[in-house]
Amino acid sequence: GIQVEQSPPDLILQEGANSTLRCNFSDSVNNLQWFHQNPWGQLINLFYIPSGTKQNGRLSATTVATERYSLLYISSSQTTDSGVYFCAVERMNAGNMLTFGGGTRLMVKP
Amino acid sequence: GAGVSQSPRYKVTKRGQDVALRCDPISGHVSLYWYRQALGQGPEFLTYFNYEAQQDKSGLPNDRFSAERPEGSISTLTIQRTEQRDSAMYRCASSLAGMNEQYFGPGTRLTVT
């Protein structure tokens, strides 16, 4: 199956700092999504981004499908950004299930 | 409804009992997915449906696990003769169709004692 690797696995930031999270995947994909799992366990959709660049407030994401990676940028981080960020991909021609990476655990300190 | 809903939110059961977990997808969503998430890990695929047809059940761990979606809307994941290793968060997701953005419910936290 497809391999999805996220880095870094853990990240501690001071409030106001910027960060970049990376997702590498091993095969062609139809779909790529970024999620935030908050401390209450909810999985919140951040981006649906199989290719290109999108922005939503302080967050933006870029997927370079030909090079099999995606980046999630968090600017001016806030304590409410804490949690686990997951990248998930849907492998091309392999059904519609998502394969998740191991996540990046982010803690933002006040 | 506004989002994917799941019930119960928490379930504690004794080893050997059967459990049924329910998922109500976003209205109008054709595709429905079940995932299982162990503590500290990302969700892992179990099975999915388009309308009432089960398209892929390759992720179900063994024959104690089954799922149905008889009318193409609400789905039930059933685990028979539960074991302690079945303890996990069970998440449901739905999408307008395959190859579309998936939206997740709040999950059912299952604990087998």
Side-chain angles (χ1 to χ4, degrees), chain A residues 30-31 33 35 37 40-43 45-48 86 90 94-103 105, chain B residues 9 31 33 35 37 40-45 48 50 56 58 89 91 98-106:
Chain A
N30 293 318
N31 174 13
Q33 293 185 238
F35 296 91
Q37 184 168 320
W40 295 271
Q42 290 178 290
L43 263 181
N45 288 41
L46 297 178
F47 294 101
Y48 170 71
F86 287 108
E90 180 184 309
N96 300 127
M97 71 287 288
L98 290 175
T99 300
F100 282 74
R105 285 149 191 80
Chain B
R9 294 291 308 279
S31 300
Y33 311 80
Y35 294 82
Q37 185 175 13
Q41 297 180 22
E44 292 185 342
F45 169 77
Y48 89 97
N50 284 338
D56 188 327
S58 62
M89 174 75 83
R91 294 194 184 270
M99 293 173 55
N100 277 277
E101 187 170 6
Q102 293 186 27
Y103 296 87
F104 281 78

Side-chain angles (χ1 to χ4, degrees), chain A residues 10-21 74-79 81-82 105-110:
Chain A
D10 297 279
L11 186 58
I12 300 174
L13 296 177
Q14 206 65 39
E15 198 168 27
N18 302 329
S19 63
T20 301
L21 281 55
I74 305 174
S75 64
S76 305
S77 57
Q78 300 177 357
T79 56
D81 295 333
S82 296
R105 285 149 191 80
L106 173 64
M107 179 184 296
V108 181
K109 294 186 170 182

Side-chain angles (χ1 to χ4, degrees), chain B residues 51-66:
Chain B
Y51 299 100
E52 72 282 358
Q54 192 169 21
Q55 299 293 321
D56 188 327
K57 54 181 182 179
S58 62
L60 295 177
N62 52 60
D63 60 8
R64 295 186 297 105
F65 288 72
S66 63

